[in-house]
mmCIF file of all heavy atoms in Angstrom:
data_model
loop_
_atom_site.group_PDB
_atom_site.id
_atom_site.type_symbol
_atom_site.label_atom_id
_atom_site.label_comp_id
_atom_site.label_asym_id
_atom_site.label_seq_id
_atom_site.Cartn_x
_atom_site.Cartn_y
_atom_site.Cartn_z
ATOM 1 N N ARG A 285 44.825 35.771 21.752
ATOM 2 C CA ARG A 285 44.345 34.830 22.758
ATOM 3 C C ARG A 285 45.189 33.565 22.835
ATOM 4 O O ARG A 285 45.062 32.791 23.781
ATOM 5 C CB ARG A 285 42.894 34.455 22.444
ATOM 6 C CG ARG A 285 41.927 35.627 22.604
ATOM 7 C CD ARG A 285 40.565 35.272 22.063
ATOM 8 N NE ARG A 285 39.591 36.357 22.268
ATOM 9 C CZ ARG A 285 38.428 36.437 21.651
ATOM 10 N NH1 ARG A 285 38.075 35.502 20.779
ATOM 11 N NH2 ARG A 285 37.607 37.450 21.896
ATOM 12 N N ALA A 286 46.035 33.341 21.837
ATOM 13 C CA ALA A 286 46.841 32.119 21.794
ATOM 14 C C ALA A 286 47.836 32.089 22.950
ATOM 15 O O ALA A 286 48.253 33.125 23.472
ATOM 16 C CB ALA A 286 47.571 32.033 20.458
ATOM 17 N N GLN A 287 48.209 30.892 23.334
ATOM 18 C CA GLN A 287 49.154 30.696 24.433
ATOM 19 C C GLN A 287 50.442 30.049 23.921
ATOM 20 O O GLN A 287 50.415 29.270 22.970
ATOM 21 C CB GLN A 287 48.537 29.808 25.515
ATOM 22 C CG GLN A 287 47.351 30.439 26.208
ATOM 23 C CD GLN A 287 47.692 31.766 26.881
ATOM 24 O OE1 GLN A 287 48.682 31.839 27.612
ATOM 25 N NE2 GLN A 287 46.884 32.776 26.653
ATOM 26 N N PRO A 288 51.577 30.360 24.528
ATOM 27 C CA PRO A 288 52.848 29.762 24.108
ATOM 28 C C PRO A 288 52.822 28.243 24.239
ATOM 29 O O PRO A 288 52.098 27.690 25.076
ATOM 30 C CB PRO A 288 53.866 30.376 25.074
ATOM 31 C CG PRO A 288 53.210 31.601 25.621
ATOM 32 C CD PRO A 288 51.740 31.317 25.646
ATOM 33 N N ASN A 289 53.608 27.587 23.422
ATOM 34 C CA ASN A 289 53.740 26.139 23.511
ATOM 35 C C ASN A 289 55.144 25.767 24.004
ATOM 36 O O ASN A 289 55.912 26.639 24.430
ATOM 37 C CB ASN A 289 53.406 25.487 22.165
ATOM 38 C CG ASN A 289 54.322 25.950 21.039
ATOM 39 O OD1 ASN A 289 55.546 25.902 21.155
ATOM 40 N ND2 ASN A 289 53.742 26.406 19.934
ATOM 41 N N ALA A 290 55.464 24.491 23.920
ATOM 42 C CA ALA A 290 56.732 24.008 24.467
ATOM 43 C C ALA A 290 57.950 24.616 23.778
ATOM 44 O O ALA A 290 59.012 24.750 24.396
ATOM 45 C CB ALA A 290 56.784 22.482 24.359
ATOM 46 N N VAL A 291 57.811 24.977 22.514
ATOM 47 C CA VAL A 291 58.944 25.571 21.789
ATOM 48 C C VAL A 291 59.251 26.955 22.356
ATOM 49 O O VAL A 291 60.405 27.278 22.666
ATOM 50 C CB VAL A 291 58.649 25.663 20.279
ATOM 51 C CG1 VAL A 291 59.882 26.146 19.534
ATOM 52 C CG2 VAL A 291 58.194 24.310 19.732
ATOM 53 N N HIS A 292 58.220 27.782 22.499
ATOM 54 C CA HIS A 292 58.416 29.113 23.092
ATOM 55 C C HIS A 292 59.010 28.982 24.501
ATOM 56 O O HIS A 292 59.906 29.735 24.886
ATOM 57 C CB HIS A 292 57.084 29.861 23.185
ATOM 58 C CG HIS A 292 56.385 30.053 21.876
ATOM 59 N ND1 HIS A 292 55.311 29.281 21.499
ATOM 60 C CD2 HIS A 292 56.599 30.923 20.859
ATOM 61 C CE1 HIS A 292 54.894 29.663 20.310
ATOM 62 N NE2 HIS A 292 55.655 30.663 19.898
ATOM 63 N N ALA A 293 58.466 28.025 25.262
ATOM 64 C CA ALA A 293 58.907 27.859 26.653
ATOM 65 C C ALA A 293 60.376 27.472 26.733
ATOM 66 O O ALA A 293 61.119 27.976 27.584
ATOM 67 C CB ALA A 293 58.044 26.810 27.350
ATOM 68 N N LEU A 294 60.827 26.565 25.846
ATOM 69 C CA LEU A 294 62.222 26.146 25.885
ATOM 70 C C LEU A 294 63.148 27.306 25.556
ATOM 71 O O LEU A 294 64.176 27.502 26.224
ATOM 72 C CB LEU A 294 62.469 25.002 24.900
ATOM 73 C CG LEU A 294 63.940 24.579 24.789
ATOM 74 C CD1 LEU A 294 64.452 24.020 26.115
ATOM 75 C CD2 LEU A 294 64.146 23.579 23.663
ATOM 76 N N LEU A 295 62.812 28.106 24.549
ATOM 77 C CA LEU A 295 63.686 29.226 24.176
ATOM 78 C C LEU A 295 63.758 30.260 25.300
ATOM 79 O O LEU A 295 64.825 30.822 25.565
ATOM 80 C CB LEU A 295 63.194 29.859 22.880
ATOM 81 C CG LEU A 295 63.250 28.943 21.648
ATOM 82 C CD1 LEU A 295 62.741 29.678 20.412
ATOM 83 C CD2 LEU A 295 64.653 28.409 21.418
ATOM 84 N N ALA A 296 62.636 30.494 25.976
ATOM 85 C CA ALA A 296 62.658 31.418 27.114
ATOM 86 C C ALA A 296 63.530 30.867 28.237
ATOM 87 O O ALA A 296 64.286 31.611 28.877
ATOM 88 C CB ALA A 296 61.234 31.659 27.611
ATOM 89 N N ARG A 297 63.433 29.574 28.464
ATOM 90 C CA ARG A 297 64.241 28.943 29.504
ATOM 91 C C ARG A 297 65.726 29.025 29.173
ATOM 92 O O ARG A 297 66.559 29.327 30.047
ATOM 93 C CB ARG A 297 63.819 27.482 29.658
ATOM 94 C CG ARG A 297 64.726 26.677 30.577
ATOM 95 C CD ARG A 297 64.443 25.194 30.483
ATOM 96 N NE ARG A 297 65.604 24.413 30.886
ATOM 97 C CZ ARG A 297 65.676 23.097 30.753
ATOM 98 N NH1 ARG A 297 64.685 22.425 30.229
ATOM 99 N NH2 ARG A 297 66.765 22.458 31.143
ATOM 100 N N LEU A 298 66.074 28.760 27.909
ATOM 101 C CA LEU A 298 67.483 28.827 27.513
ATOM 102 C C LEU A 298 68.044 30.235 27.707
ATOM 103 O O LEU A 298 69.208 30.396 28.089
ATOM 104 C CB LEU A 298 67.632 28.394 26.057
ATOM 105 C CG LEU A 298 67.384 26.909 25.747
ATOM 106 C CD1 LEU A 298 67.472 26.659 24.248
ATOM 107 C CD2 LEU A 298 68.363 26.027 26.495
ATOM 108 N N GLU A 299 67.218 31.238 27.465
ATOM 109 C CA GLU A 299 67.686 32.607 27.694
ATOM 110 C C GLU A 299 67.895 32.864 29.183
ATOM 111 O O GLU A 299 68.895 33.464 29.585
ATOM 112 C CB GLU A 299 66.688 33.604 27.110
ATOM 113 C CG GLU A 299 67.172 35.048 27.215
ATOM 114 C CD GLU A 299 66.137 36.060 26.746
ATOM 115 O OE1 GLU A 299 64.996 35.643 26.467
ATOM 116 O OE2 GLU A 299 66.471 37.248 26.678
#
Side-chain angles (χ1 to χ4, degrees):
R285 293 170 177 165
Q287 295 301 311
N289 60 52
V291 186
H292 301 103
L294 175 64
L295 296 180
R297 172 191 156 188
L298 291 176
E299 185 185 7

